[in-house]
Amino acid sequence: WMPSKFSGSPFDKLVNGILVLNVAWLLLESVYDLNDIPESEWFSSVDSVFCLCYIAEVMLKLCWWSWQEYWMSNDNRFDFFTTGILAGASLATMLTSVSPDVVRYINLLRLPPLLQAR
């Protein structure tokens, strides 16, 4: 279950599954937005859960691999920066008056890996 240096590991499959759930969640949020349906308070909490999943992914990989091994992969670099931006936006929504919608839109940054073959 730990991150493998090869794609297709159970860990990669779990992370890809989380990404697919995130896409489904973003589609549901979009339906609510496009139809002017009021969202429940807990909707922003779900976005935060996805953010925590991505932070855990980066941290687990960094615990398993050396920094040099982790940083050699362009996918990991992309994940590192997008997760940092997403975590910063999540903190900003909790500590300031930044709209939770910002996290939703930044969360879209995590989706391009689904479009490429891993």
Side-chain angles (χ1 to χ4, degrees):
W1 276 94
M2 290 307 294
S4 172
K5 293 178 181 156
F6 307 103
S7 61
S9 72
F11 183 77
D12 279 346
K13 290 177 183 178
L14 174 67
V15 171
N16 286 336
I18 291 169
L19 284 167
V20 169
L21 288 174
N22 194 357
V23 169
W25 179 251
L26 290 170
L27 289 173
L28 177 67
E29 286 181 315
S30 296
V31 168
Y32 272 69
D33 287 344
L34 293 172
N35 293 301
D36 293 322
I37 301 170
E39 296 176 352
S40 298
E41 291 290 322
W42 57 269
F43 270 47
S44 62
S45 297
V46 174
D47 290 326
S48 296
V49 168
F50 283 114
C51 178
L52 290 173
C53 289
Y54 299 137
I55 290 170
E57 174 199 11
V58 169
M59 290 176 65
L60 282 170
K61 284 183 176 181
L62 286 171
C63 288
W64 189 254
W65 297 334
S66 71
W67 175 257
Q68 291 79 17
E69 289 175 309
Y70 178 84
W71 203 246
M72 283 188 335
S73 166
N74 287 332
D75 288 341
N76 288 340
R77 289 179 186 195
F78 177 82
D79 290 345
F80 183 83
F81 285 117
T82 56
T83 299
I85 292 167
L86 183 59
S90 292
L91 277 174
T93 60
M94 287 187 263
L95 302 175
T96 66
S97 61
V98 173
S99 170
D101 290 338
V102 171
V103 174
R104 181 181 318 156
Y105 297 122
I106 293 175
N107 214 348
L108 291 171
L109 292 174
R110 291 289 300 190
L111 302 183
L114 280 177
L115 303 176
Q116 67 182 3
R118 278 191 159 198

